Structures are given as structure tokens and as C-alpha cells.
């Protein structure tokens, strides 16, 4: 990366506004390669130079990639006045982070968060058909015909039917289950845990697909996104950086070398 003004580096990382940075420089709180910075318009290369604030190294990597195990109860948005957002779980304060696609407030599971706009766009583009695997607990047990419909593509009220998907029943439970959505449907009878792999990302797509076969979703979890499986060591609300191998796989899945 080319050299940038110190105040621009700090503001892009979301650490200090330009005026805060100016004050910090005046107070001698910022150093570059061990030398105290004298002016906010001094330049440094964030990829090469060691920048410190209050004696601590600043994480200046330009591109970051995280896997979050999204818990239920938070929304996929950059900010919200009332609800917790997925970014409340990420310590990285840079301001250019975005989630790759959305999960509903009550959906749990893998969510990729990055400031790499190009890969974000590619992973969501219909051109690359990136598969997303969901585990849906549904009221009722889908019949063979239902499964065939889900797999073939069905009308969910949009202009076009859904694209072909893959679907299989993982488990059938004879008893009522408890939970936020489950409690809303009293005596829903037997339930099925169904794996559904789709390559699109329409609004509430999985829930609408199961609505269309009259098996409402009681709980929804995303277990994989493209080539990445949710790291089962991550508890709900925990996240970690993607490994180099995982990033390579994402690049490949999104047509990037
Ligand atoms: N489909 C849904 O209905 N909800 C999600 O959160 C993700 C996919």
C-alpha cells in the first residue's frame, strides 16, 4: 500500500477522527517506527511501518476477514438504535467492515465479516452460485414430494421460482420443541431437522421456501457458507480471523485467483 497521512490512516481504521488524531499527535501519543510523530499530515505506509498509539501497536492491516458464529437476537446491520448488531461482537473498530449477506435476527451460524468489498460483492453475486447450507427445524415432516419441490425450485411469491437446491431430512422428532419461534406455534406436532443448500440469497428465502410447503421454520442455523464450515469451537457470539487456507478457498469460490 502507498504512504498515507497519519490522520487518514487512523480515521480509516475508525480509531481516531482527524481532529482527535491531530490532538494525539500534539500530545506525542503516536509514533511511527519508534519515532514520535510530529504532524498529523506526516505519511506512513500502513503495510510496512510500525505505527503505535499510546505505546501499543496499531493493527493496520488493510484487509481483514472474520468468521462470526452469529447468535440469535442480533441484527445484521452496521448500526441500530434499539437492537444489538453483529458488529457489537467484533472488537475491530474499523468503520469499513460489512457482513457478507444477511442473516435474520433469529438465525444463528456462520457469517463472514470483511472490509474487502470486492470479495463481498462476488460472494453474493448470482454469477458464482456460492452454496449456503442451512439447518432448519421445521414444524411437520416434509414429504418426498415436498423435498422434490424444494430441490426443483418453487414459487415463493417472487417473479421467478427459486433455483434448484439440495435438501435432506436429518432428524425427525415426535415431540414439541421449545424456543422463540417454536412457542409461537402451539402444538405444532412432530418436527424435522432439514438440511437445505441454496445458491441464492433472497430475502427470508429459507423461511419462505418452507412456508411454501407449509412446514414453517421454528429455528434456523447456517452451518456453511461456500467452502467454509462454521468452526464448531466458536460459541455463539464468538469470532475469529479466517486462516490463509480458508481465504484461498473463498477467493477460489468467488472466481478470484
Ligand atoms: N433465509 C432465511 O429465511 N433467513 C435467514 O436468516 C437466511 C436465509
Amino acid at each position: 500500500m502507498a504512504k498515507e497521512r497519519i490522520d487518514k490512516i487512523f480515521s480509516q481504521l475508525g480509531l481516531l477522527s482527524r481532529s482527535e488524531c491531530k490532538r494525539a499527535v500534539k500530545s506525542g501519543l503516536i509514533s511511527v517506527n519508534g519515532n514520535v510523530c510530529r504532524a498529523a499530515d506526516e505519511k506512513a505506509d500502513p503495510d510496512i511501518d510500525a505505527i503505535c498509539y499510546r505505546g501499543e501497536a496499531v493493527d493496520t492491516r488493510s484487509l481483514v476477514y472474520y468468521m462470526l458464529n452469529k447468535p440469535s437476537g442480533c441484527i445484521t446491520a452496521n448500526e441500530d438504535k434499539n437492537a444489538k448488531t453483529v458488529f457489537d461482537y467484533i472488537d475491530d473498530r474499523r468503520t469499513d467492515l460489512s457482513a457478507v449477506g444477511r442473516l435474520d435476527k433469529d438465525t444463528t451460524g456462520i457469517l463472514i465479516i470483511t472490509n474487502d468489498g470486492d470479495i463481498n460483492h462476488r460472494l453474493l453475486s448470482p454469477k458464482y452460485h456460492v452454496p449456503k447450507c442451512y439447518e432448519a427445524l421445521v414444524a411437520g415432516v416434509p414429504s418426498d414430494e415436498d423435498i422434490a419441490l424444494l430441490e426443483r425450485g418453487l414459487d415463493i411469491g417472487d417473479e421467478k421460482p427459486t433455483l434448484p437446491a439440495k435438501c435432506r431430512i436429518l432428524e425427525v422428532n415426535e415431540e414439541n420443541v421449545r424456543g422463540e419461534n417454536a412457542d409461537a406455534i402451539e402444538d405444532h406436532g412432530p418436527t424435522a431437522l432439514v438440511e437445505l443448500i441454496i445458491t441464492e440469497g433472497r430475502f427470508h428465502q429459507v423461511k419462505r421456501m418452507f412456508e411454501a410447503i407449509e412446514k414453517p421454520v421454528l429455528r434456523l442455523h447456517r452451518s456453511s457458507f461456500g467452502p467454509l464450515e462454521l468452526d464448531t469451537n466458536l460459541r455463539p457470539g464468538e469470532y475469529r480471523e479466517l486462516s490463509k487456507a480458508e481465504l484461498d478457498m473463498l477467493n477460489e469460490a468467488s472466481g478470484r485467483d
Side-chain angles (χ1 to χ4, degrees), residues 102-104 107 134 204-207 220:
R102 278 166 188 270
L103 290 178
D104 295 338
T107 302
Y134 292 90
H204 294 327
Q205 179 163 348
V206 174
K207 289 176 185 165
L220 187 59

